[in-house]
Amino acid sequence: MVCGAMIEIRPAVPADVATIRRLIVALAVYEREPDAVKATAEQLHAALFGARPVAEAVLALRDGVPVGLALFFTSFSTWEGRAGLYLEDLFVLPEARGQGIGKALLVHLAGIAVARDYARFEWQVLDWNTPAIGFYKALGATPRDEWTVMRVAGAALTTLAGTASPPA
Amino acid sequence: MVCGAMIEIRPAVPADVATIRRLIVALAVYEREPDAVKATAEQLHAALFGARPVAEAVLALRDGVPVGLALFFTSFSTWEGRAGLYLEDLFVLPEARGQGIGKALLVHLAGIAVARDYARFEWQVLDWNTPAIGFYKALGATPRDEWTVMRVAGAALTTLAGTASPPA
Protein backbone atom coordinates (compact mmCIF):
# COMPACT_ATOMS: atom_id res chain seq x y z
CA MET A 1 0.00 0.00 0.00
CA VAL A 2 1.27 3.40 -0.95
CA CYS A 3 0.46 6.25 1.34
CA GLY A 4 0.13 9.55 -0.49
CA ALA A 5 -0.65 13.09 0.49
CA MET A 6 -3.04 13.76 3.34
CA ILE A 7 -6.33 15.09 1.95
CA GLU A 8 -8.82 16.94 4.09
CA ILE A 9 -12.21 18.32 3.08
CA ARG A 10 -13.70 20.90 5.43
CA PRO A 11 -16.24 23.75 5.43
CA ALA A 12 -14.75 27.13 4.63
CA VAL A 13 -14.54 29.66 7.46
CA PRO A 14 -14.37 33.47 7.26
CA ALA A 15 -10.55 33.39 7.44
CA ASP A 16 -10.57 31.43 4.15
CA VAL A 17 -12.09 34.20 2.03
CA ALA A 18 -8.77 35.33 0.54
CA THR A 19 -7.91 31.69 -0.24
CA ILE A 20 -11.32 31.14 -1.84
CA ARG A 21 -10.89 34.20 -4.02
CA ARG A 22 -7.40 33.05 -5.01
CA LEU A 23 -8.79 29.66 -6.08
CA ILE A 24 -11.61 31.33 -8.04
CA VAL A 25 -9.08 33.52 -9.87
CA ALA A 26 -6.89 30.47 -10.55
CA LEU A 27 -9.90 28.77 -12.15
CA ALA A 28 -10.57 31.81 -14.31
CA VAL A 29 -6.92 31.95 -15.40
CA TYR A 30 -7.05 28.23 -16.20
CA GLU A 31 -10.18 28.84 -18.30
CA ARG A 32 -8.34 31.71 -20.02
CA GLU A 33 -10.72 34.32 -18.65
CA PRO A 34 -8.50 35.97 -16.04
CA ASP A 35 -10.55 39.17 -16.09
CA ALA A 36 -13.89 37.40 -15.59
CA VAL A 37 -13.66 37.43 -11.80
CA LYS A 38 -15.44 40.54 -10.57
CA ALA A 39 -16.14 39.13 -7.12
CA THR A 40 -14.35 41.01 -4.35
CA ALA A 41 -13.30 39.51 -1.03
CA GLU A 42 -16.00 41.67 0.60
CA GLN A 43 -18.70 40.25 -1.69
CA LEU A 44 -17.57 36.68 -1.06
CA HIS A 45 -17.48 37.27 2.67
CA ALA A 46 -21.02 38.67 2.63
CA ALA A 47 -22.33 35.85 0.44
CA LEU A 48 -20.75 33.08 2.49
CA PHE A 49 -20.64 34.45 6.01
CA GLY A 50 -22.84 37.56 6.12
CA ALA A 51 -26.08 38.09 8.01
CA ARG A 52 -28.02 36.38 5.20
CA PRO A 53 -25.65 33.92 3.50
CA VAL A 54 -26.63 32.88 -0.04
CA ALA A 55 -23.88 30.34 -0.65
CA GLU A 56 -21.57 27.91 1.14
CA ALA A 57 -18.10 26.66 0.38
CA VAL A 58 -15.92 23.71 1.26
CA LEU A 59 -12.17 23.52 0.77
CA ALA A 60 -9.95 20.58 -0.11
CA LEU A 61 -6.53 20.71 1.51
CA ARG A 62 -3.56 18.58 0.55
CA ASP A 63 -1.05 18.33 3.36
CA GLY A 64 -2.74 21.37 4.85
CA VAL A 65 -2.53 23.48 1.68
CA PRO A 66 -5.82 24.52 0.00
CA VAL A 67 -5.91 23.00 -3.50
CA GLY A 68 -9.63 22.64 -4.20
CA LEU A 69 -12.90 24.46 -3.77
CA ALA A 70 -16.58 23.65 -4.03
CA LEU A 71 -19.03 26.54 -3.86
CA PHE A 72 -22.74 25.76 -3.65
CA PHE A 73 -26.15 27.14 -2.79
CA THR A 74 -29.52 25.74 -1.75
CA SER A 75 -32.05 24.93 -4.45
CA PHE A 76 -35.64 23.79 -4.04
CA SER A 77 -37.77 21.15 -5.74
CA THR A 78 -41.41 22.19 -5.95
CA TRP A 79 -42.75 18.71 -6.53
CA GLU A 80 -40.60 17.10 -3.85
CA GLY A 81 -41.17 19.95 -1.39
CA ARG A 82 -37.55 19.61 -0.36
CA ALA A 83 -34.40 21.63 -0.78
CA GLY A 84 -31.45 20.58 -2.92
CA LEU A 85 -27.76 21.26 -3.25
CA TYR A 86 -26.72 23.19 -6.34
CA LEU A 87 -22.99 23.10 -6.98
CA GLU A 88 -22.00 26.35 -8.68
CA ASP A 89 -18.26 25.74 -8.95
CA LEU A 90 -15.95 22.83 -8.38
CA PHE A 91 -12.25 23.40 -8.83
CA VAL A 92 -9.02 21.59 -8.13
CA LEU A 93 -5.70 23.28 -8.90
CA PRO A 94 -4.13 21.74 -12.01
CA GLU A 95 -1.10 20.52 -10.06
CA ALA A 96 -3.34 18.64 -7.61
CA ARG A 97 -5.46 16.77 -10.14
CA GLY A 98 -5.60 13.03 -10.69
CA GLN A 99 -5.50 12.34 -6.97
CA GLY A 100 -9.20 11.86 -6.30
CA ILE A 101 -9.69 15.32 -4.83
CA GLY A 102 -12.55 16.27 -7.16
CA LYS A 103 -14.31 13.04 -6.34
CA ALA A 104 -13.69 13.56 -2.62
CA LEU A 105 -15.33 16.99 -2.88
CA LEU A 106 -18.37 15.55 -4.70
CA VAL A 107 -18.72 12.73 -2.17
CA HIS A 108 -18.48 15.27 0.65
CA LEU A 109 -21.23 17.38 -0.94
CA ALA A 110 -23.42 14.31 -1.45
CA GLY A 111 -22.96 13.62 2.26
CA ILE A 112 -24.13 17.13 3.09
CA ALA A 113 -27.17 16.67 0.82
CA VAL A 114 -28.12 13.36 2.47
CA ALA A 115 -27.54 14.70 5.99
CA ARG A 116 -29.86 17.61 5.25
CA ASP A 117 -32.50 15.40 3.60
CA TYR A 118 -32.10 17.25 0.31
CA ALA A 119 -33.97 15.88 -2.69
CA ARG A 120 -31.16 16.29 -5.18
CA PHE A 121 -27.61 17.38 -5.96
CA GLU A 122 -27.07 19.19 -9.25
CA TRP A 123 -24.48 21.08 -11.24
CA GLN A 124 -23.75 22.02 -14.85
CA VAL A 125 -21.08 20.74 -17.20
CA LEU A 126 -19.98 21.86 -20.64
CA ASP A 127 -21.39 19.57 -23.34
CA TRP A 128 -18.01 18.99 -24.96
CA ASN A 129 -16.32 18.01 -21.71
CA THR A 130 -16.82 14.29 -22.28
CA PRO A 131 -14.18 13.20 -19.75
CA ALA A 132 -15.98 15.17 -17.03
CA ILE A 133 -19.38 13.87 -18.11
CA GLY A 134 -18.09 10.29 -18.01
CA PHE A 135 -16.59 10.91 -14.58
CA TYR A 136 -19.88 12.32 -13.26
CA LYS A 137 -21.93 9.47 -14.74
CA ALA A 138 -19.62 6.97 -13.07
CA LEU A 139 -20.46 8.66 -9.78
CA GLY A 140 -24.19 8.16 -10.38
CA ALA A 141 -25.14 11.47 -11.98
CA THR A 142 -27.68 11.61 -14.80
CA PRO A 143 -27.40 14.22 -17.57
CA ARG A 144 -30.62 16.20 -17.97
CA ASP A 145 -30.10 16.30 -21.73
CA GLU A 146 -33.63 17.37 -22.53
CA TRP A 147 -33.40 20.62 -20.57
CA THR A 148 -31.82 23.92 -21.53
CA VAL A 149 -30.96 26.69 -19.09
CA MET A 150 -32.26 30.10 -20.14
CA ARG A 151 -30.49 33.16 -18.76
CA VAL A 152 -31.29 36.87 -18.66
CA ALA A 153 -28.47 39.08 -17.42
CA GLY A 154 -26.93 42.51 -17.78
CA ALA A 155 -28.76 45.02 -19.99
CA ALA A 156 -31.32 42.41 -21.05
CA LEU A 157 -32.29 41.94 -17.40
CA THR A 158 -32.73 45.66 -16.81
CA THR A 159 -34.76 45.92 -20.01
CA LEU A 160 -37.01 43.01 -19.06
CA ALA A 161 -37.55 44.47 -15.60
CA GLY A 162 -38.66 47.74 -17.18
CA THR A 163 -40.93 46.15 -19.75
CA ALA A 164 -44.48 47.38 -19.57
CA SER A 165 -46.64 44.32 -19.18
CA PRO A 166 -50.24 45.10 -20.01
CA PRO A 167 -52.13 41.83 -19.68
CA ALA A 168 -55.25 41.74 -21.84
CA MET B 1 -59.09 50.21 -26.15
CA VAL B 2 -60.42 47.01 -24.70
CA CYS B 3 -60.21 46.62 -20.97
CA GLY B 4 -59.84 42.99 -19.94
CA ALA B 5 -59.47 41.21 -16.68
CA MET B 6 -57.64 42.85 -13.81
CA ILE B 7 -54.26 41.17 -13.32
CA GLU B 8 -52.29 41.49 -10.12
CA ILE B 9 -48.86 40.01 -9.30
CA ARG B 10 -47.98 39.91 -5.61
CA PRO B 11 -45.67 38.01 -3.23
CA ALA B 12 -47.23 34.94 -1.69
CA VAL B 13 -48.07 35.07 2.01
CA PRO B 14 -48.47 32.18 4.49
CA ALA B 15 -52.24 32.12 3.93
CA ASP B 16 -51.54 31.25 0.27
CA VAL B 17 -49.90 27.90 0.95
CA ALA B 18 -52.99 25.82 0.14
CA THR B 19 -53.47 27.84 -3.07
CA ILE B 20 -49.83 27.35 -4.01
CA ARG B 21 -50.09 23.61 -3.50
CA ARG B 22 -53.29 23.52 -5.55
CA LEU B 23 -51.52 25.30 -8.43
CA ILE B 24 -48.54 22.92 -8.19
CA VAL B 25 -50.87 19.93 -8.37
CA ALA B 26 -52.72 21.51 -11.31
CA LEU B 27 -49.39 21.82 -13.11
CA ALA B 28 -48.58 18.17 -12.43
CA VAL B 29 -52.00 17.09 -13.69
CA TYR B 30 -51.49 19.21 -16.79
CA GLU B 31 -48.12 17.53 -17.33
CA ARG B 32 -49.84 14.15 -16.85
CA GLU B 33 -47.89 13.40 -13.71
CA PRO B 34 -50.61 13.88 -11.07
CA ASP B 35 -48.79 11.67 -8.57
CA ALA B 36 -45.48 13.50 -8.90
CA VAL B 37 -46.31 16.09 -6.25
CA LYS B 38 -44.96 14.83 -2.96
CA ALA B 39 -44.73 18.29 -1.39
CA THR B 40 -47.07 18.73 1.55
CA ALA B 41 -48.55 22.03 2.68
CA GLU B 42 -46.31 21.80 5.75
CA GLN B 43 -43.18 21.41 3.62
CA LEU B 44 -44.16 24.33 1.40
CA HIS B 45 -44.92 26.49 4.42
CA ALA B 46 -41.52 25.69 5.93
CA ALA B 47 -39.67 26.27 2.65
CA LEU B 48 -41.37 29.59 1.92
CA PHE B 49 -42.15 31.03 5.34
CA GLY B 50 -40.21 29.02 7.91
CA ALA B 51 -37.37 30.14 10.15
CA ARG B 52 -34.90 29.57 7.30
CA PRO B 53 -36.77 29.99 4.01
CA VAL B 54 -35.15 28.36 0.97
CA ALA B 55 -37.59 29.58 -1.68
CA GLU B 56 -39.99 32.41 -2.48
CA ALA B 57 -43.20 32.55 -4.44
CA VAL B 58 -45.30 35.13 -6.24
CA LEU B 59 -48.89 34.69 -7.33
CA ALA B 60 -50.72 36.03 -10.35
CA LEU B 61 -54.38 36.85 -9.70
CA ARG B 62 -57.02 37.53 -12.34
CA ASP B 63 -59.93 39.47 -10.94
CA GLY B 64 -58.71 38.42 -7.51
CA VAL B 65 -58.53 34.71 -8.31
CA PRO B 66 -55.08 33.01 -8.24
CA VAL B 67 -54.31 31.69 -11.71
CA GLY B 68 -50.50 31.70 -11.85
CA LEU B 69 -47.49 30.91 -9.74
CA ALA B 70 -43.79 31.54 -9.89
CA LEU B 71 -41.58 29.76 -7.36
CA PHE B 72 -37.92 30.70 -7.14
CA PHE B 73 -34.79 30.54 -5.01
CA THR B 74 -31.55 32.49 -4.70
CA SER B 75 -28.56 31.37 -6.73
CA PHE B 76 -25.01 32.73 -6.65
CA SER B 77 -22.48 33.59 -9.31
CA THR B 78 -18.94 32.94 -8.14
CA TRP B 79 -17.28 35.12 -10.75
CA GLU B 80 -19.73 37.99 -10.33
CA GLY B 81 -19.76 37.68 -6.55
CA ARG B 82 -23.47 38.41 -6.64
CA ALA B 83 -26.64 36.45 -6.06
CA GLY B 84 -29.11 35.52 -8.77
CA LEU B 85 -32.74 34.56 -9.15
CA TYR B 86 -33.39 30.95 -10.13
CA LEU B 87 -36.94 30.32 -11.28
CA GLU B 88 -37.85 26.74 -10.38
CA ASP B 89 -41.44 26.76 -11.61
CA LEU B 90 -43.62 29.09 -13.62
CA PHE B 91 -47.23 28.12 -14.16
CA VAL B 92 -50.40 29.70 -15.45
CA LEU B 93 -53.65 27.73 -15.36
CA PRO B 94 -54.59 26.57 -18.88
CA GLU B 95 -57.82 28.60 -18.84
CA ALA B 96 -55.88 31.79 -18.07
CA ARG B 97 -53.25 31.53 -20.78
CA GLY B 98 -52.77 33.85 -23.73
CA GLN B 99 -53.43 36.91 -21.59
CA GLY B 100 -49.86 37.95 -20.85
CA ILE B 101 -49.85 36.52 -17.35
CA GLY B 102 -46.72 34.41 -17.86
CA LYS B 103 -44.92 37.43 -19.23
CA ALA B 104 -46.17 39.59 -16.37
CA LEU B 105 -44.74 37.06 -13.90
CA LEU B 106 -41.36 37.02 -15.68
CA VAL B 107 -41.23 40.83 -15.79
CA HIS B 108 -42.11 40.94 -12.09
CA LEU B 109 -39.27 38.51 -11.29
CA ALA B 110 -36.82 40.50 -13.43
CA GLY B 111 -37.86 43.54 -11.37
CA ILE B 112 -37.07 41.67 -8.16
CA ALA B 113 -33.68 40.63 -9.58
CA VAL B 114 -32.81 44.21 -10.55
CA ALA B 115 -34.04 45.65 -7.24
CA ARG B 116 -31.82 43.20 -5.35
CA ASP B 117 -28.82 43.83 -7.62
CA TYR B 118 -28.79 40.19 -8.71
CA ALA B 119 -26.35 39.23 -11.46
CA ARG B 120 -28.75 37.02 -13.39
CA PHE B 121 -32.17 35.46 -13.76
CA GLU B 122 -32.29 31.85 -14.91
CA TRP B 123 -34.62 28.93 -15.43
CA GLN B 124 -34.81 25.71 -17.43
CA VAL B 125 -36.97 24.82 -20.40
CA LEU B 126 -37.56 21.54 -22.21
CA ASP B 127 -35.59 21.41 -25.46
CA TRP B 128 -38.60 20.48 -27.56
CA ASN B 129 -40.74 23.33 -26.25
CA THR B 130 -39.89 25.64 -29.13
CA PRO B 131 -42.83 28.01 -28.54
CA ALA B 132 -41.64 28.60 -24.98
CA ILE B 133 -38.02 29.00 -26.08
CA GLY B 134 -39.06 31.55 -28.69
CA PHE B 135 -41.15 33.40 -26.12
CA TYR B 136 -38.24 33.51 -23.67
CA LYS B 137 -35.79 34.66 -26.34
CA ALA B 138 -38.16 37.47 -27.30
CA LEU B 139 -37.99 38.58 -23.66
CA GLY B 140 -34.18 38.78 -23.82
CA ALA B 141 -33.22 35.37 -22.51
CA THR B 142 -30.27 33.46 -23.96
CA PRO B 143 -30.24 29.65 -24.14
CA ARG B 144 -27.14 28.19 -22.52
CA ASP B 145 -27.05 25.47 -25.16
CA GLU B 146 -23.52 24.37 -24.41
CA TRP B 147 -24.29 23.39 -20.82
CA THR B 148 -25.91 20.24 -19.45
CA VAL B 149 -27.34 19.89 -15.97
CA MET B 150 -26.12 16.80 -14.13
CA ARG B 151 -28.29 15.44 -11.32
CA VAL B 152 -27.77 12.91 -8.55
CA ALA B 153 -30.89 12.00 -6.60
CA GLY B 154 -32.58 9.17 -4.75
CA ALA B 155 -30.60 5.98 -4.25
CA ALA B 156 -27.72 7.29 -6.38
CA LEU B 157 -27.33 10.22 -3.99
CA THR B 158 -27.24 7.99 -0.92
CA THR B 159 -24.74 5.73 -2.65
CA LEU B 160 -22.48 8.62 -3.64
CA ALA B 161 -22.62 10.01 -0.10
CA GLY B 162 -21.51 6.65 1.25
CA THR B 163 -18.73 6.15 -1.28
CA ALA B 164 -15.35 5.59 0.28
CA SER B 165 -13.13 8.28 -1.18
CA PRO B 166 -9.48 7.38 -0.65
CA PRO B 167 -7.49 10.09 -2.40
CA ALA B 168 -4.07 8.86 -3.45
Side-chain angles (χ1 to χ4, degrees):
Chain A
M1 181 180 173
V2 178
C3 291
M6 167 87 173
I7 304 295
E8 180 198 1
I9 311 285
R10 65 160 175 81
V13 296
D16 294 319
V17 165
T19 295
I20 291 168
R21 188 166 188 283
R22 190 166 48 74
L23 289 168
I24 294 168
V25 171
L27 171 59
V29 169
Y30 182 75
E31 293 186 355
R32 299 174 191 222
E33 297 200 53
D35 300 325
V37 180
K38 297 175 191 162
T40 64
E42 290 70 25
Q43 284 177 311
L44 292 170
H45 188 278
L48 296 169
F49 307 107
R52 297 181 61 179
V54 293
E56 299 175 66
V58 297
L59 288 174
L61 298 95
R62 186 180 59 181
D63 293 333
V65 178
V67 293
L69 168 72
L71 196 144
F72 60 100
F73 53 81
T74 306
S75 65
F76 183 71
S77 164
T78 312
W79 285 8
E80 295 285 339
R82 291 153 67 200
L85 191 157
Y86 196 97
L87 174 60
E88 176 68 13
D89 270 316
L90 176 73
F91 180 56
V92 177
L93 289 177
E95 62 268 29
R97 294 186 185 176
Q99 298 170 36
I101 297 173
K103 179 179 175 182
L105 281 163
L106 289 169
V107 169
H108 184 89
L109 297 175
I112 291 174
V114 168
R116 296 181 185 178
D117 192 31
Y118 283 177
R120 61 200 191 196
F121 171 22
E122 290 180 313
W123 62 93
Q124 290 181 41
V125 61
L126 282 161
D127 285 344
W128 49 258
N129 196 347
T130 41
I133 293 171
F135 171 66
Y136 296 146
K137 281 184 177 173
L139 294 179
T142 307
R144 309 235 312 146
D145 288 326
E146 73 278 31
W147 293 87
T148 296
V149 175
M150 303 295 297
R151 175 182 289 185
V152 190
L157 182 57
T158 316
T159 301
L160 180 60
T163 302
S165 54
Chain B
M1 182 180 173
V2 177
C3 292
M6 167 87 171
I7 304 296
E8 180 198 1
I9 311 284
R10 65 159 175 81
V13 296
D16 294 319
V17 166
T19 295
I20 291 168
R21 187 165 190 285
R22 190 167 47 75
L23 289 167
I24 293 169
V25 171
L27 170 59
V29 168
Y30 182 76
E31 294 186 355
R32 300 176 191 220
E33 298 200 51
D35 300 325
V37 180
K38 298 175 190 161
T40 64
E42 290 70 26
Q43 284 177 312
L44 292 169
H45 188 278
L48 296 168
F49 308 108
R52 297 181 61 179
V54 293
E56 298 175 65
V58 297
L59 287 175
L61 298 96
R62 186 180 59 181
D63 293 334
V65 178
V67 293
L69 168 72
L71 196 144
F72 60 99
F73 54 81
T74 305
S75 65
F76 183 71
S77 163
T78 311
W79 287 8
E80 295 285 338
R82 291 153 67 201
L85 192 157
Y86 197 96
L87 174 61
E88 176 68 11
D89 270 315
L90 176 72
F91 180 56
V92 177
L93 288 177
E95 62 267 29
R97 296 186 185 178
Q99 299 171 36
I101 297 173
K103 178 179 174 182
L105 281 164
L106 288 169
V107 169
H108 184 90
L109 296 176
I112 291 174
V114 168
R116 296 181 185 178
D117 191 32
Y118 283 178
R120 61 199 192 196
F121 172 21
E122 289 179 312
W123 62 93
Q124 290 180 42
V125 62
L126 281 162
D127 285 345
W128 49 258
N129 196 346
T130 40
I133 293 171
F135 171 67
Y136 296 146
K137 282 184 178 174
L139 294 178
T142 307
R144 309 233 313 145
D145 288 324
E146 73 278 29
W147 293 88
T148 296
V149 176
M150 304 296 296
R151 176 182 289 185
V152 190
L157 182 57
T158 316
T159 301
L160 181 60
T163 302
S165 56

